[in-house]
């Protein structure tokens, strides 16, 4: 039932980070199946205040990797966010460099390590988009990719492709 949902009426309001992550997961899976291209633009993934949060950073990147078709996805984040992943992975038993050496990085992490990810420092926008032939579905709001019971605002909208390119893509 991915194609007959009116998501725009269902996602519009204030949600916990955990609820927002579920919405994003459903959208990413939908877009992986139905879209030509996916754009994930988020300046931050996880937090780095303590060991548990650094472990969460690794889990969130692995979650993104599992729910993203890298062949269709343009990923935009800050370089520091990717560096936090590497730093967090290096606190694990198997380090980032060892995973890379043995070709065991996930596709998303591999894209970052190989320079195939877009790093843009001067943005705080958070949006996630599925680009169809005739339109763009977009989830946007205050939600960086984090977990927990803090509240975030989220809205789901449909745009025509030109409007989306002009208002979102050309800016960054």
């Amino acid at each position: 039932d991915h194609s007959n949902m009116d998501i725009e009426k269902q996602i519009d309001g204030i949600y916990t980070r955990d609820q927002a992550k579920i919405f994003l997961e459903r959208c990413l899976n939908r877009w992986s199946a139905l879209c030509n291209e996916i754009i994930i633009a988020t300046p931050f993934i996880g937090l780095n205040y303590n060991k548990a949060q650094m472990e969460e950073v690794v889990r969130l990147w692995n979650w993104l990797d599992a729910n993203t078709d890298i062949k269709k996805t343009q990923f935009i984040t800050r370089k520091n966010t990717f560096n936090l992943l590497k730093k967090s992975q290096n606190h694990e038993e198997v380090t980032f460099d060892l995973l890379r050496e043995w070709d065991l990085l996930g596709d998303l992490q591999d894209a970052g390590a190989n320079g195939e990810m877009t790093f843009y420092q001067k943005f705080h926008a958070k949006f996630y988009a599925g680009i169809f032939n005739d339109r763009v579905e977009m989830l946007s709001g205050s939600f960086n990719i984090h977990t927990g019971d803090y509240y975030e605002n989220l809205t789901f909208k449909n745009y025509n492709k030109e409007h989306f390119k002009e208002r979102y893509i050309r800016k960054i």
Side-chain angles (χ1 to χ4, degrees), residues 71-86:
K71 294 178 195 96
K72 292 183 178 185
T73 302
Q74 179 182 357
F75 195 89
I76 305 164
T77 193
R78 293 182 180 186
K79 181 71 171 175
N80 290 345
T81 298
F82 187 70
N83 288 337
L84 175 60
L85 165 65
K86 293 193 291 189

